[in-house]
């Protein structure tokens, strides 16, 4: 779940360029695609709450009185490795959701999706999930062993036609294999990230109830890499 209130969703797009130096991915034999620093992004809403610094390959998302913001890649990708260093917001983040995820199209009822989701009520855990044809309910909670706001940590999604791996700081925390007769993400997908008020989900039991006493809340992304060779034109 990544959609904030529709009143905030002004479809605005901005592009910026980044250093094109290649960063080869050799950590897993499932993925032989080269990854590259993210060259451009689109901002789906509240562009003034999202900044992209090309030289340092960093993106900042802010949640405050304006609401949150969401960025995505400008192209879809069909398999490969996606990574970012992330430092989550500090303070009382109850009610907020901040994330990194793949989706064939945000808001589409039949979307494929692969998620990392941070729940503001407890920054020492992260939730992973995946969807196929709009069917999810495959959530798992992972205990990080640290507060995700204390510093940068690496989050990686490795996705092939029959395997998904989620990695944190180089360690595989979850692996799912395609099973006969079961849905599995196969549509080309964008890389997304957002910060939004998720208080309404399950009456606040999922991410907590938004307090806002420490706003503005800033989520930082840096060293973002995508598998350019699998980009779908």
């Amino acid at each position: 779940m990544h959609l904030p209130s529709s009143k905030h969703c002004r479809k605005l797009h901005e592009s910026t360029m980044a250093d094109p130096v290649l960063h080869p991915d050799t950590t897993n034999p499932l993925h032989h695609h080269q990854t590259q620093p993210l060259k451009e992004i689109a901002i789906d809403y509240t562009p003034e709450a999202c900044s992209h610094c090309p030289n340092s390959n960093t993106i900042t998302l802010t949640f405050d009185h304006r609401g949150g913001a969401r960025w995505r890649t400008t192209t879809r990708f069909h398999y490969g490795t996606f990574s970012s260093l992330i430092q989550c917001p500090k303070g009382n983040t109850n009610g907020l959701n901040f994330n990194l995820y793949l989706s064939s199209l945000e808001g589409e009822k039949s979307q494929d999706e692969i998620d990392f989701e941070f729940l503001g009520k407890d920054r020492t855990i992260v939730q992973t999930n995946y969807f196929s044809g709009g069917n999810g309910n495959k959530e798992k909670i992972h205990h990080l062993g640290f507060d995700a706001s204390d510093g940068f940590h690496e989050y990686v999604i490795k996705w092939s036609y029959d395997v998904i791996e989620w990695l944190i700081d180089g360690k595989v925390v979850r692996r799912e294999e395609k099973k006969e007769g079961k849905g599995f993400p196969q549509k080309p997908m964008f890389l997304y990230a957002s910060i939004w008020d998720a208080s309404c989900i399950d009456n606040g039991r999922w991410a907590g109830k938004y307090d806002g006493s420490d706003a503005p809340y800033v989520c930082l992304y840096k060293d973002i890499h995508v598998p350019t060779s699998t980009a779908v034109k």
Side-chain angles (χ1 to χ4, degrees), residues 181-233:
K182 301 291 185 179
F184 203 77
Q186 60 183 0
K187 298 177 182 177
M189 295 195 277
F190 296 102
L191 178 66
Y192 282 93
S194 66
I195 182 170
W196 60 288
D197 182 358
S199 299
C200 61
I201 306 300
D202 197 20
N203 197 32
R205 286 184 287 271
W206 187 51
K209 288 282 191 177
Y210 182 65
D211 177 270
S213 57
D214 293 315
Y217 299 98
V218 178
C219 194
L220 303 172
Y221 301 80
K222 72 177 182 179
D223 199 22
I224 307 127
H225 283 76
V226 294
T228 52
S229 64
T230 72
V232 176
K233 304 299 182 182

Short mmCIF file of all heavy atoms in Angstrom, two decimals, residues 181-233:
data_model
loop_
_atom_site.label_atom_id
_atom_site.label_comp_id
_atom_site.label_asym_id
_atom_site.label_seq_id
_atom_site.Cartn_x
_atom_site.Cartn_y
_atom_site.Cartn_z
N GLY A 181 1.78 -23.01 -10.57
CA GLY A 181 0.38 -22.71 -10.29
C GLY A 181 0.16 -21.51 -9.39
O GLY A 181 -0.99 -21.15 -9.11
N LYS A 182 1.23 -20.89 -8.91
CA LYS A 182 1.14 -19.72 -8.03
C LYS A 182 1.61 -18.48 -8.77
O LYS A 182 2.53 -18.53 -9.58
CB LYS A 182 2.00 -19.92 -6.78
CG LYS A 182 1.63 -21.15 -5.94
CD LYS A 182 0.27 -20.98 -5.27
CE LYS A 182 -0.02 -22.16 -4.35
NZ LYS A 182 -1.33 -22.02 -3.67
N GLY A 183 0.98 -17.35 -8.47
CA GLY A 183 1.36 -16.10 -9.09
C GLY A 183 2.73 -15.64 -8.65
O GLY A 183 3.16 -15.89 -7.52
N PHE A 184 3.44 -14.95 -9.57
CA PHE A 184 4.78 -14.45 -9.28
C PHE A 184 4.99 -13.20 -10.12
O PHE A 184 4.56 -13.14 -11.27
CB PHE A 184 5.83 -15.52 -9.65
CG PHE A 184 7.14 -15.36 -8.94
CD1 PHE A 184 7.29 -15.75 -7.62
CD2 PHE A 184 8.24 -14.83 -9.61
CE1 PHE A 184 8.50 -15.61 -6.96
CE2 PHE A 184 9.46 -14.70 -8.97
CZ PHE A 184 9.59 -15.09 -7.63
N PRO A 185 5.62 -12.16 -9.57
CA PRO A 185 5.79 -10.92 -10.34
C PRO A 185 6.52 -11.16 -11.65
O PRO A 185 7.61 -11.74 -11.66
CB PRO A 185 6.62 -10.04 -9.40
CG PRO A 185 6.34 -10.57 -8.02
CD PRO A 185 6.16 -12.05 -8.20
N GLN A 186 5.92 -10.72 -12.74
CA GLN A 186 6.54 -10.90 -14.05
C GLN A 186 6.39 -9.70 -14.97
O GLN A 186 7.02 -9.63 -16.02
CB GLN A 186 5.94 -12.13 -14.74
CG GLN A 186 4.45 -12.05 -14.97
CD GLN A 186 3.89 -13.32 -15.60
OE1 GLN A 186 4.62 -14.28 -15.87
NE2 GLN A 186 2.59 -13.32 -15.85
N LYS A 187 5.57 -8.72 -14.56
CA LYS A 187 5.41 -7.53 -15.39
C LYS A 187 6.61 -6.59 -15.20
O LYS A 187 7.17 -6.52 -14.11
CB LYS A 187 4.14 -6.77 -14.99
CG LYS A 187 2.85 -7.54 -15.18
CD LYS A 187 1.67 -6.71 -14.67
CE LYS A 187 0.36 -7.48 -14.79
NZ LYS A 187 -0.78 -6.69 -14.24
N PRO A 188 7.01 -5.86 -16.24
CA PRO A 188 8.03 -4.83 -16.05
C PRO A 188 7.57 -3.84 -14.99
O PRO A 188 6.39 -3.49 -14.91
CB PRO A 188 8.13 -4.17 -17.43
CG PRO A 188 7.68 -5.24 -18.39
CD PRO A 188 6.59 -5.98 -17.65
N MET A 189 8.52 -3.37 -14.15
CA MET A 189 8.14 -2.53 -13.01
C MET A 189 9.03 -1.30 -12.88
O MET A 189 10.21 -1.33 -13.22
CB MET A 189 8.19 -3.35 -11.72
CG MET A 189 7.15 -4.47 -11.68
SD MET A 189 6.88 -5.17 -10.03
CE MET A 189 8.24 -6.33 -9.92
N PHE A 190 8.44 -0.22 -12.38
CA PHE A 190 9.17 0.97 -11.97
C PHE A 190 9.78 0.74 -10.58
O PHE A 190 9.23 -0.02 -9.78
CB PHE A 190 8.24 2.19 -11.85
CG PHE A 190 7.59 2.64 -13.12
CD1 PHE A 190 6.26 2.33 -13.39
CD2 PHE A 190 8.28 3.42 -14.04
CE1 PHE A 190 5.63 2.77 -14.54
CE2 PHE A 190 7.67 3.87 -15.20
CZ PHE A 190 6.34 3.54 -15.46
N LEU A 191 10.86 1.45 -10.27
CA LEU A 191 11.33 1.57 -8.90
C LEU A 191 10.70 2.82 -8.31
O LEU A 191 10.77 3.90 -8.90
CB LEU A 191 12.85 1.68 -8.85
CG LEU A 191 13.47 1.87 -7.46
CD1 LEU A 191 13.24 0.64 -6.59
CD2 LEU A 191 14.96 2.21 -7.56
N TYR A 192 10.06 2.67 -7.15
CA TYR A 192 9.37 3.76 -6.47
C TYR A 192 9.93 3.96 -5.06
O TYR A 192 10.48 3.03 -4.46
CB TYR A 192 7.89 3.43 -6.27
CG TYR A 192 6.95 3.55 -7.43
CD1 TYR A 192 6.67 2.45 -8.24
CD2 TYR A 192 6.27 4.74 -7.69
CE1 TYR A 192 5.76 2.53 -9.27
CE2 TYR A 192 5.34 4.83 -8.71
CZ TYR A 192 5.09 3.72 -9.51
OH TYR A 192 4.17 3.81 -10.54
N ALA A 193 9.70 5.15 -4.50
CA ALA A 193 9.86 5.40 -3.07
C ALA A 193 8.93 6.53 -2.68
O ALA A 193 8.70 7.45 -3.47
CB ALA A 193 11.30 5.74 -2.72
N SER A 194 8.40 6.47 -1.47
CA SER A 194 7.48 7.52 -1.01
C SER A 194 7.50 7.62 0.50
O SER A 194 8.02 6.75 1.20
CB SER A 194 6.05 7.23 -1.50
OG SER A 194 5.53 6.06 -0.89
N ILE A 195 6.92 8.71 0.99
CA ILE A 195 6.63 8.87 2.41
C ILE A 195 5.22 9.42 2.50
O ILE A 195 4.87 10.36 1.79
CB ILE A 195 7.67 9.79 3.11
CG1 ILE A 195 7.37 9.89 4.61
CG2 ILE A 195 7.76 11.15 2.44
CD1 ILE A 195 8.48 10.58 5.41
N TRP A 196 4.38 8.79 3.35
CA TRP A 196 2.97 9.18 3.42
C TRP A 196 2.38 8.79 4.76
O TRP A 196 2.95 7.99 5.51
CB TRP A 196 2.19 8.56 2.26
CG TRP A 196 2.20 7.05 2.20
CD1 TRP A 196 3.24 6.25 1.86
CD2 TRP A 196 1.10 6.18 2.48
NE1 TRP A 196 2.86 4.92 1.91
CE2 TRP A 196 1.55 4.84 2.28
CE3 TRP A 196 -0.23 6.39 2.86
CZ2 TRP A 196 0.72 3.74 2.47
CZ3 TRP A 196 -1.05 5.28 3.04
CH2 TRP A 196 -0.56 3.98 2.85
N ASP A 197 1.23 9.38 5.06
CA ASP A 197 0.52 9.12 6.31
C ASP A 197 -0.37 7.89 6.13
O ASP A 197 -1.37 7.93 5.41
CB ASP A 197 -0.32 10.34 6.69
CG ASP A 197 -1.06 10.17 8.01
OD1 ASP A 197 -0.97 9.09 8.62
OD2 ASP A 197 -1.73 11.13 8.42
N ALA A 198 0.01 6.80 6.80
CA ALA A 198 -0.72 5.53 6.69
C ALA A 198 -1.60 5.26 7.89
O ALA A 198 -1.99 4.12 8.14
CB ALA A 198 0.29 4.39 6.51
N SER A 199 -1.96 6.32 8.64
CA SER A 199 -2.77 6.15 9.86
C SER A 199 -4.08 5.43 9.61
O SER A 199 -4.61 4.74 10.50
CB SER A 199 -3.06 7.52 10.49
OG SER A 199 -1.89 8.18 10.86
N CYS A 200 -4.61 5.60 8.40
CA CYS A 200 -5.93 5.04 8.11
C CYS A 200 -5.90 3.53 7.89
O CYS A 200 -6.96 2.88 7.91
CB CYS A 200 -6.53 5.72 6.88
SG CYS A 200 -5.54 5.51 5.38
N ILE A 201 -4.72 2.95 7.69
CA ILE A 201 -4.63 1.52 7.39
C ILE A 201 -4.85 0.72 8.67
O ILE A 201 -4.13 0.89 9.66
CB ILE A 201 -3.27 1.16 6.76
CG1 ILE A 201 -3.00 2.03 5.53
CG2 ILE A 201 -3.22 -0.32 6.42
CD1 ILE A 201 -4.04 1.88 4.43
N ASP A 202 -5.85 -0.14 8.64
CA ASP A 202 -6.18 -1.01 9.78
C ASP A 202 -6.34 -0.20 11.07
O ASP A 202 -5.90 -0.61 12.14
CB ASP A 202 -5.10 -2.08 9.94
CG ASP A 202 -5.57 -3.26 10.81
OD1 ASP A 202 -6.79 -3.43 10.97
OD2 ASP A 202 -4.69 -3.97 11.34
N ASN A 203 -6.97 0.97 10.92
CA ASN A 203 -7.27 1.84 12.07
C ASN A 203 -6.03 2.15 12.91
O ASN A 203 -6.08 2.22 14.13
CB ASN A 203 -8.35 1.20 12.95
CG ASN A 203 -8.99 2.20 13.90
OD1 ASN A 203 -9.11 3.38 13.58
ND2 ASN A 203 -9.41 1.73 15.07
N GLY A 204 -4.91 2.32 12.21
CA GLY A 204 -3.68 2.70 12.89
C GLY A 204 -2.86 1.56 13.42
O GLY A 204 -1.76 1.78 13.96
N ARG A 205 -3.34 0.34 13.29
CA ARG A 205 -2.59 -0.78 13.85
C ARG A 205 -1.36 -1.14 13.02
O ARG A 205 -0.42 -1.76 13.52
CB ARG A 205 -3.50 -2.00 14.00
CG ARG A 205 -4.48 -1.89 15.16
CD ARG A 205 -5.30 -3.15 15.34
NE ARG A 205 -6.31 -3.30 14.30
CZ ARG A 205 -7.55 -2.81 14.38
NH1 ARG A 205 -7.92 -2.12 15.45
NH2 ARG A 205 -8.41 -2.98 13.40
N TRP A 206 -1.37 -0.77 11.74
CA TRP A 206 -0.25 -1.14 10.85
C TRP A 206 0.98 -0.27 11.10
O TRP A 206 2.04 -0.77 11.44
CB TRP A 206 -0.71 -1.04 9.40
CG TRP A 206 0.28 -1.55 8.39
CD1 TRP A 206 0.91 -2.76 8.40
CD2 TRP A 206 0.72 -0.86 7.22
NE1 TRP A 206 1.72 -2.88 7.30
CE2 TRP A 206 1.63 -1.72 6.56
CE3 TRP A 206 0.44 0.39 6.65
CZ2 TRP A 206 2.26 -1.37 5.36
CZ3 TRP A 206 1.06 0.73 5.46
CH2 TRP A 206 1.97 -0.14 4.83
N ALA A 207 0.83 1.05 10.95
CA ALA A 207 1.97 1.96 11.08
C ALA A 207 1.86 2.89 12.28
O ALA A 207 2.77 3.68 12.51
CB ALA A 207 2.12 2.78 9.80
N GLY A 208 0.77 2.80 13.02
CA GLY A 208 0.52 3.71 14.12
C GLY A 208 -0.36 4.87 13.69
O GLY A 208 -0.80 4.95 12.55
N LYS A 209 -0.62 5.78 14.61
CA LYS A 209 -1.42 6.98 14.34
C LYS A 209 -0.49 8.18 14.26
O LYS A 209 0.35 8.40 15.14
CB LYS A 209 -2.46 7.19 15.44
CG LYS A 209 -3.61 6.20 15.42
CD LYS A 209 -4.62 6.56 14.33
CE LYS A 209 -5.91 5.74 14.48
NZ LYS A 209 -6.92 6.14 13.48
N TYR A 210 -0.67 8.97 13.22
CA TYR A 210 0.22 10.11 13.00
C TYR A 210 0.12 11.12 14.13
O TYR A 210 -0.97 11.51 14.55
CB TYR A 210 -0.11 10.78 11.67
CG TYR A 210 0.80 11.94 11.33
CD1 TYR A 210 2.16 11.74 11.10
CD2 TYR A 210 0.30 13.24 11.26
CE1 TYR A 210 3.00 12.80 10.80
CE2 TYR A 210 1.14 14.31 10.96
CZ TYR A 210 2.48 14.08 10.72
OH TYR A 210 3.32 15.14 10.43
N ASP A 211 1.28 11.54 14.62
CA ASP A 211 1.37 12.54 15.69
C ASP A 211 1.86 13.88 15.15
O ASP A 211 1.28 14.92 15.44
CB ASP A 211 2.32 12.01 16.78
CG ASP A 211 2.52 13.01 17.90
OD1 ASP A 211 3.46 13.83 17.80
OD2 ASP A 211 1.75 12.98 18.88
N GLY A 212 2.94 13.85 14.40
CA GLY A 212 3.44 15.05 13.75
C GLY A 212 4.24 15.99 14.63
O GLY A 212 4.62 17.08 14.20
N SER A 213 4.53 15.59 15.86
CA SER A 213 5.20 16.49 16.80
C SER A 213 6.65 16.79 16.41
O SER A 213 7.21 17.78 16.88
CB SER A 213 5.16 15.91 18.21
OG SER A 213 5.75 14.62 18.24
N ASP A 214 7.24 15.95 15.55
CA ASP A 214 8.62 16.18 15.15
C ASP A 214 8.77 16.52 13.67
O ASP A 214 9.86 16.40 13.09
CB ASP A 214 9.47 14.94 15.47
CG ASP A 214 9.60 14.72 16.96
OD1 ASP A 214 9.86 15.70 17.69
OD2 ASP A 214 9.45 13.57 17.42
N ALA A 215 7.68 16.96 13.03
CA ALA A 215 7.75 17.35 11.63
C ALA A 215 8.67 18.56 11.47
O ALA A 215 8.77 19.40 12.39
CB ALA A 215 6.36 17.67 11.11
N PRO A 216 9.37 18.70 10.35
CA PRO A 216 9.28 17.85 9.17
C PRO A 216 10.06 16.53 9.33
O PRO A 216 11.06 16.48 10.04
CB PRO A 216 9.90 18.71 8.07
CG PRO A 216 10.91 19.54 8.82
CD PRO A 216 10.27 19.85 10.14
N TYR A 217 9.58 15.50 8.62
CA TYR A 217 10.21 14.19 8.62
C TYR A 217 10.93 13.99 7.28
O TYR A 217 10.31 14.15 6.23
CB TYR A 217 9.18 13.09 8.83
CG TYR A 217 8.46 13.21 10.16
CD1 TYR A 217 7.20 13.80 10.23
CD2 TYR A 217 9.04 12.74 11.33
CE1 TYR A 217 6.54 13.92 11.45
CE2 TYR A 217 8.39 12.86 12.55
CZ TYR A 217 7.14 13.45 12.60
OH TYR A 217 6.50 13.57 13.81
N VAL A 218 12.20 13.64 7.35
CA VAL A 218 13.01 13.56 6.14
C VAL A 218 13.55 12.14 5.97
O VAL A 218 14.20 11.60 6.88
CB VAL A 218 14.18 14.56 6.19
CG1 VAL A 218 15.05 14.43 4.94
CG2 VAL A 218 13.65 15.99 6.33
N CYS A 219 13.27 11.54 4.81
CA CYS A 219 13.80 10.23 4.46
C CYS A 219 14.84 10.42 3.36
O CYS A 219 14.57 11.06 2.34
CB CYS A 219 12.68 9.30 3.99
SG CYS A 219 13.16 7.55 3.91
N LEU A 220 16.04 9.87 3.59
CA LEU A 220 17.17 10.08 2.68
C LEU A 220 17.51 8.80 1.93
O LEU A 220 17.59 7.72 2.52
CB LEU A 220 18.40 10.53 3.47
CG LEU A 220 18.24 11.80 4.33
CD1 LEU A 220 19.47 12.00 5.19
CD2 LEU A 220 17.98 13.00 3.45
N TYR A 221 17.72 8.95 0.62
CA TYR A 221 18.13 7.85 -0.24
C TYR A 221 19.43 8.27 -0.95
O TYR A 221 19.54 9.40 -1.44
CB TYR A 221 17.07 7.56 -1.31
CG TYR A 221 15.72 7.19 -0.76
CD1 TYR A 221 14.84 8.18 -0.31
CD2 TYR A 221 15.30 5.87 -0.70
CE1 TYR A 221 13.59 7.85 0.20
CE2 TYR A 221 14.06 5.52 -0.19
CZ TYR A 221 13.21 6.52 0.26
OH TYR A 221 11.97 6.20 0.76
N LYS A 222 20.40 7.36 -0.99
CA LYS A 222 21.61 7.69 -1.75
C LYS A 222 22.21 6.41 -2.35
O LYS A 222 21.87 5.30 -1.95
CB LYS A 222 22.63 8.40 -0.87
CG LYS A 222 23.34 7.57 0.17
CD LYS A 222 24.38 8.41 0.91
CE LYS A 222 25.15 7.59 1.94
NZ LYS A 222 26.19 8.42 2.64
N ASP A 223 23.09 6.63 -3.32
CA ASP A 223 23.74 5.53 -4.04
C ASP A 223 22.70 4.57 -4.61
O ASP A 223 22.77 3.36 -4.43
CB ASP A 223 24.73 4.80 -3.12
CG ASP A 223 25.75 3.97 -3.90
OD1 ASP A 223 25.97 4.28 -5.08
OD2 ASP A 223 26.31 3.02 -3.33
N ILE A 224 21.72 5.13 -5.29
CA ILE A 224 20.61 4.35 -5.87
C ILE A 224 21.07 3.77 -7.20
O ILE A 224 21.57 4.51 -8.07
CB ILE A 224 19.37 5.24 -6.08
CG1 ILE A 224 19.01 5.99 -4.78
CG2 ILE A 224 18.19 4.42 -6.58
CD1 ILE A 224 18.87 7.47 -4.95
N HIS A 225 20.91 2.47 -7.35
CA HIS A 225 21.33 1.79 -8.59
C HIS A 225 20.18 0.96 -9.17
O HIS A 225 19.38 0.38 -8.43
CB HIS A 225 22.53 0.89 -8.33
CG HIS A 225 23.82 1.63 -8.20
ND1 HIS A 225 24.17 2.34 -7.07
CD2 HIS A 225 24.85 1.80 -9.08
CE1 HIS A 225 25.35 2.91 -7.25
NE2 HIS A 225 25.78 2.59 -8.46
N VAL A 226 20.14 0.93 -10.50
CA VAL A 226 19.12 0.17 -11.23
C VAL A 226 19.79 -0.62 -12.36
O VAL A 226 20.87 -0.26 -12.81
CB VAL A 226 18.03 1.11 -11.81
CG1 VAL A 226 17.25 1.78 -10.69
CG2 VAL A 226 18.64 2.15 -12.74
N PRO A 227 19.14 -1.70 -12.81
CA PRO A 227 19.73 -2.55 -13.86
C PRO A 227 19.40 -1.99 -15.26
O PRO A 227 18.45 -2.40 -15.92
CB PRO A 227 19.06 -3.90 -13.64
CG PRO A 227 17.71 -3.53 -13.10
CD PRO A 227 17.91 -2.28 -12.27
N THR A 228 20.21 -1.07 -15.74
CA THR A 228 19.89 -0.34 -16.97
C THR A 228 19.71 -1.25 -18.18
O THR A 228 18.97 -0.93 -19.10
CB THR A 228 20.98 0.69 -17.27
OG1 THR A 228 22.26 0.05 -17.23
CG2 THR A 228 20.96 1.79 -16.23
N SER A 229 20.39 -2.40 -18.19
CA SER A 229 20.29 -3.28 -19.36
C SER A 229 18.94 -3.94 -19.52
O SER A 229 18.61 -4.48 -20.58
CB SER A 229 21.38 -4.36 -19.30
OG SER A 229 21.18 -5.20 -18.18
N THR A 230 18.10 -3.92 -18.43
CA THR A 230 16.78 -4.53 -18.51
C THR A 230 15.66 -3.51 -18.65
O THR A 230 14.48 -3.85 -18.56
CB THR A 230 16.49 -5.42 -17.28
OG1 THR A 230 16.28 -4.57 -16.13
CG2 THR A 230 17.64 -6.38 -17.01
N ALA A 231 16.02 -2.23 -18.87
CA ALA A 231 15.02 -1.17 -19.01
C ALA A 231 14.12 -1.46 -20.22
O ALA A 231 14.60 -1.90 -21.28
CB ALA A 231 15.68 0.18 -19.16
N VAL A 232 12.84 -1.23 -20.03
CA VAL A 232 11.85 -1.45 -21.09
C VAL A 232 11.54 -0.12 -21.74
O VAL A 232 11.09 0.82 -21.07
CB VAL A 232 10.57 -2.08 -20.52
CG1 VAL A 232 9.50 -2.22 -21.60
CG2 VAL A 232 10.88 -3.43 -19.89
N LYS A 233 11.77 -0.01 -23.01
CA LYS A 233 11.55 1.25 -23.73
C LYS A 233 10.06 1.48 -23.99
O LYS A 233 9.31 0.56 -24.16
CB LYS A 233 12.32 1.24 -25.06
CG LYS A 233 13.80 0.99 -24.90
CD LYS A 233 14.47 2.07 -24.05
CE LYS A 233 15.97 1.82 -23.95
NZ LYS A 233 16.63 2.82 -23.10
#
